[in-house]
Amino acid sequence: MLPLVDKPIIQYGVEEALHSGIQNIIIVTGRGKSAIEDHFDVSFELEQLLESRNKKDLLAIVRQVSDMIDVSYIRQKEALGLGHAVLRAQELVGPEPFAVVLADDVIESETPCIRQLLDIYEFFGAPVLAVMEVPNESISSYGCIDAEPVSHNGSRDRVFRIRDLVEKPKASEAPSNLAIIGRYILTPDIFTSIGKVEPGAGGEIQLTDALRHLLRSRPIYAYKFDGKRYDAGDKLGFLKATVEFALQRHDLGGPFREYLKTLVL
Ligand code: G1P
């Protein structure tokens, strides 16, 4: 719920999914996270107050949030890992393909990242993960893929067919510098794979390990997405995102830029 400028981080992820054409959102929450449910709920009293005071701009912002009404919640009682969190959503997802958004990864792009992945999913008819190149010394913070380039739309530098994948490898053992970023298009057979894997890195049920299991029975693709990713779960990444998003704002960008110029750096 930490805001980037004036919008909670999670809302960027929800809006990306909505702008990609996804209408049903499931949020996996845990203890002490009820503020998320309140945020996406209809704020009846606030809307009435703003209406009576004729604050149209603010009312529009509040309505934009409460109009995202098709949000359901499922609780993950213990933080047992990303794979476990995804498995919690199995019943609500049902027998359909679905997207996973890790909201800490905020992605700014012309075409929403999830939409880019959906286009690849629709073309290849197989699960797709978002990847980006990271410096070798950072790869141990990510899931990492071993993959071969595949021709798509006349180029071979964006789509990869995955040969293997490993969660948080040591830099010296990483098969590439292609890191998994928190966007996935998955098919319901991933749930069976999640149920089969043992706890992995950090003692957690890892989605990467389940994908490795699934790879035995079907092809999985990776897509080097177009856009800029901020790691809002990291203090420095959060600060960078805040500054850059504020600079882009019509109402704040100008005065904020002037303020930054006064700083002795
Ligand atoms: C998770 C995934 C990892 C991925 C990362 C992207 O890790 O397990 O494969 O590279 O998100 O942000 P986490 O950052 O939750 O440790």
Side-chain angles (χ1 to χ4, degrees), residues 5-30:
V5 187
D6 56 3
K7 198 158 72 176
I9 294 172
I10 190 166
Q11 195 176 328
Y12 288 86
V14 170
E15 287 179 1
E16 183 189 317
L18 294 173
H19 294 152
S20 299
I22 288 176
Q23 279 150 2
N24 303 301
I25 309 283
I26 302 165
I27 298 182
V28 183
T29 65

Short mmCIF file of all heavy atoms in Angstrom, two decimals, residues 5-30:
data_model
loop_
_atom_site.label_atom_id
_atom_site.label_comp_id
_atom_site.label_asym_id
_atom_site.label_seq_id
_atom_site.Cartn_x
_atom_site.Cartn_y
_atom_site.Cartn_z
N VAL A 5 4.29 8.38 -5.40
CA VAL A 5 3.73 9.72 -5.51
C VAL A 5 2.40 9.77 -4.75
O VAL A 5 2.39 10.14 -3.59
CB VAL A 5 3.57 10.20 -6.97
CG1 VAL A 5 3.14 11.67 -7.00
CG2 VAL A 5 4.88 10.05 -7.73
N ASP A 6 1.27 9.37 -5.35
CA ASP A 6 0.03 9.42 -4.58
C ASP A 6 -0.87 8.21 -4.86
O ASP A 6 -2.07 8.28 -4.63
CB ASP A 6 -0.73 10.74 -4.86
CG ASP A 6 -1.01 10.93 -6.33
OD1 ASP A 6 -0.68 10.01 -7.13
OD2 ASP A 6 -1.56 11.98 -6.70
N LYS A 7 -0.29 7.13 -5.34
CA LYS A 7 -1.10 5.95 -5.67
C LYS A 7 -0.39 4.72 -5.10
O LYS A 7 0.81 4.57 -5.33
CB LYS A 7 -1.21 5.86 -7.20
CG LYS A 7 -2.30 5.02 -7.71
CD LYS A 7 -2.67 5.39 -9.14
CE LYS A 7 -1.62 4.97 -10.13
NZ LYS A 7 -2.00 5.23 -11.52
N PRO A 8 -1.12 3.86 -4.37
CA PRO A 8 -0.46 2.69 -3.78
C PRO A 8 0.19 1.82 -4.87
O PRO A 8 -0.39 1.67 -5.96
CB PRO A 8 -1.59 1.93 -3.11
CG PRO A 8 -2.71 2.87 -2.98
CD PRO A 8 -2.55 3.90 -4.05
N ILE A 9 1.34 1.27 -4.56
CA ILE A 9 2.08 0.46 -5.53
C ILE A 9 1.18 -0.60 -6.15
O ILE A 9 1.19 -0.83 -7.36
CB ILE A 9 3.29 -0.21 -4.85
CG1 ILE A 9 4.30 0.84 -4.41
CG2 ILE A 9 3.96 -1.21 -5.79
CD1 ILE A 9 5.44 0.29 -3.57
N ILE A 10 0.36 -1.24 -5.32
CA ILE A 10 -0.45 -2.36 -5.83
C ILE A 10 -1.41 -1.90 -6.93
O ILE A 10 -1.72 -2.66 -7.85
CB ILE A 10 -1.21 -3.06 -4.67
CG1 ILE A 10 -1.84 -4.35 -5.18
CG2 ILE A 10 -2.23 -2.16 -4.01
CD1 ILE A 10 -2.30 -5.29 -4.11
N GLN A 11 -1.83 -0.64 -6.86
CA GLN A 11 -2.78 -0.16 -7.86
C GLN A 11 -2.16 -0.06 -9.26
O GLN A 11 -2.85 -0.24 -10.27
CB GLN A 11 -3.36 1.19 -7.43
CG GLN A 11 -4.61 1.54 -8.25
CD GLN A 11 -5.25 2.82 -7.80
OE1 GLN A 11 -5.20 3.14 -6.61
NE2 GLN A 11 -5.85 3.55 -8.71
N TYR A 12 -0.85 0.19 -9.31
CA TYR A 12 -0.18 0.21 -10.62
C TYR A 12 -0.32 -1.16 -11.28
O TYR A 12 -0.58 -1.27 -12.48
CB TYR A 12 1.30 0.57 -10.48
CG TYR A 12 1.54 2.03 -10.13
CD1 TYR A 12 1.52 2.46 -8.80
CD2 TYR A 12 1.80 2.96 -11.11
CE1 TYR A 12 1.74 3.79 -8.46
CE2 TYR A 12 2.03 4.30 -10.80
CZ TYR A 12 2.00 4.70 -9.47
OH TYR A 12 2.20 6.02 -9.15
N GLY A 13 -0.13 -2.23 -10.46
CA GLY A 13 -0.23 -3.58 -11.00
C GLY A 13 -1.65 -3.91 -11.43
O GLY A 13 -1.88 -4.50 -12.50
N VAL A 14 -2.63 -3.51 -10.62
CA VAL A 14 -4.04 -3.77 -10.94
C VAL A 14 -4.42 -3.03 -12.22
O VAL A 14 -5.06 -3.59 -13.12
CB VAL A 14 -4.96 -3.36 -9.76
CG1 VAL A 14 -6.43 -3.40 -10.16
CG2 VAL A 14 -4.72 -4.27 -8.55
N GLU A 15 -3.98 -1.77 -12.33
CA GLU A 15 -4.32 -0.99 -13.53
C GLU A 15 -3.65 -1.59 -14.77
O GLU A 15 -4.26 -1.61 -15.85
CB GLU A 15 -3.89 0.48 -13.35
CG GLU A 15 -4.81 1.21 -12.39
CD GLU A 15 -4.43 2.66 -12.16
OE1 GLU A 15 -3.45 3.14 -12.77
OE2 GLU A 15 -5.12 3.32 -11.36
N GLU A 16 -2.43 -2.09 -14.61
CA GLU A 16 -1.76 -2.71 -15.77
C GLU A 16 -2.58 -3.91 -16.28
O GLU A 16 -2.76 -4.08 -17.48
CB GLU A 16 -0.35 -3.17 -15.38
CG GLU A 16 0.40 -3.76 -16.56
CD GLU A 16 1.72 -4.41 -16.17
OE1 GLU A 16 2.47 -3.86 -15.36
OE2 GLU A 16 1.98 -5.51 -16.70
N ALA A 17 -3.09 -4.70 -15.33
CA ALA A 17 -3.89 -5.86 -15.73
C ALA A 17 -5.18 -5.41 -16.43
O ALA A 17 -5.55 -5.91 -17.49
CB ALA A 17 -4.22 -6.72 -14.50
N LEU A 18 -5.84 -4.40 -15.85
CA LEU A 18 -7.09 -3.90 -16.45
C LEU A 18 -6.84 -3.33 -17.84
O LEU A 18 -7.60 -3.61 -18.77
CB LEU A 18 -7.72 -2.83 -15.56
CG LEU A 18 -8.23 -3.29 -14.18
CD1 LEU A 18 -8.67 -2.09 -13.35
CD2 LEU A 18 -9.38 -4.27 -14.31
N HIS A 19 -5.76 -2.58 -17.98
CA HIS A 19 -5.44 -1.99 -19.30
C HIS A 19 -4.98 -3.05 -20.30
O HIS A 19 -4.86 -2.77 -21.48
CB HIS A 19 -4.37 -0.90 -19.15
CG HIS A 19 -4.86 0.29 -18.37
ND1 HIS A 19 -4.03 1.11 -17.64
CD2 HIS A 19 -6.12 0.77 -18.17
CE1 HIS A 19 -4.75 2.04 -17.04
NE2 HIS A 19 -6.03 1.86 -17.35
N SER A 20 -4.71 -4.25 -19.82
CA SER A 20 -4.32 -5.34 -20.72
C SER A 20 -5.53 -6.16 -21.14
O SER A 20 -5.41 -7.14 -21.87
CB SER A 20 -3.32 -6.27 -20.01
OG SER A 20 -2.17 -5.57 -19.66
N GLY A 21 -6.72 -5.78 -20.62
CA GLY A 21 -7.94 -6.47 -21.01
C GLY A 21 -8.39 -7.53 -20.01
O GLY A 21 -9.31 -8.30 -20.28
N ILE A 22 -7.74 -7.57 -18.84
CA ILE A 22 -8.14 -8.54 -17.82
C ILE A 22 -9.20 -7.91 -16.92
O ILE A 22 -9.02 -6.77 -16.47
CB ILE A 22 -6.88 -8.98 -17.02
CG1 ILE A 22 -6.02 -9.86 -17.91
CG2 ILE A 22 -7.26 -9.69 -15.72
CD1 ILE A 22 -4.72 -10.28 -17.33
N GLN A 23 -10.29 -8.64 -16.70
CA GLN A 23 -11.38 -8.03 -15.94
C GLN A 23 -11.53 -8.57 -14.52
O GLN A 23 -12.09 -7.91 -13.66
CB GLN A 23 -12.69 -8.22 -16.69
CG GLN A 23 -12.82 -7.18 -17.78
CD GLN A 23 -13.63 -7.66 -18.95
OE1 GLN A 23 -14.13 -8.78 -18.95
NE2 GLN A 23 -13.73 -6.84 -19.97
N ASN A 24 -11.08 -9.78 -14.30
CA ASN A 24 -11.21 -10.36 -12.95
C ASN A 24 -9.87 -10.38 -12.26
O ASN A 24 -8.93 -10.98 -12.75
CB ASN A 24 -11.75 -11.79 -13.04
CG ASN A 24 -13.07 -11.83 -13.76
OD1 ASN A 24 -14.03 -11.19 -13.33
ND2 ASN A 24 -13.12 -12.52 -14.87
N ILE A 25 -9.82 -9.71 -11.12
CA ILE A 25 -8.56 -9.61 -10.38
C ILE A 25 -8.69 -10.40 -9.07
O ILE A 25 -9.70 -10.27 -8.37
CB ILE A 25 -8.27 -8.12 -10.01
CG1 ILE A 25 -8.37 -7.21 -11.24
CG2 ILE A 25 -6.94 -7.98 -9.28
CD1 ILE A 25 -7.22 -7.24 -12.18
N ILE A 26 -7.69 -11.20 -8.79
CA ILE A 26 -7.65 -11.90 -7.50
C ILE A 26 -6.40 -11.39 -6.78
O ILE A 26 -5.31 -11.44 -7.34
CB ILE A 26 -7.50 -13.43 -7.71
CG1 ILE A 26 -8.66 -13.97 -8.54
CG2 ILE A 26 -7.39 -14.14 -6.37
CD1 ILE A 26 -8.41 -15.37 -9.09
N ILE A 27 -6.59 -10.91 -5.57
CA ILE A 27 -5.42 -10.44 -4.81
C ILE A 27 -5.17 -11.43 -3.67
O ILE A 27 -6.08 -11.72 -2.88
CB ILE A 27 -5.65 -9.01 -4.26
CG1 ILE A 27 -5.83 -8.05 -5.45
CG2 ILE A 27 -4.47 -8.57 -3.40
CD1 ILE A 27 -6.01 -6.59 -5.07
N VAL A 28 -3.96 -11.96 -3.62
CA VAL A 28 -3.60 -12.88 -2.54
C VAL A 28 -3.02 -12.02 -1.42
O VAL A 28 -1.99 -11.37 -1.61
CB VAL A 28 -2.57 -13.94 -3.01
CG1 VAL A 28 -2.27 -14.92 -1.88
CG2 VAL A 28 -3.10 -14.68 -4.24
N THR A 29 -3.69 -11.99 -0.30
CA THR A 29 -3.26 -11.13 0.80
C THR A 29 -2.85 -11.98 2.01
O THR A 29 -2.98 -13.20 2.00
CB THR A 29 -4.38 -10.19 1.26
OG1 THR A 29 -5.44 -10.97 1.80
CG2 THR A 29 -4.90 -9.34 0.14
N GLY A 30 -2.38 -11.29 3.02
CA GLY A 30 -2.02 -11.99 4.25
C GLY A 30 -2.54 -11.21 5.44
O GLY A 30 -3.29 -10.24 5.27
#
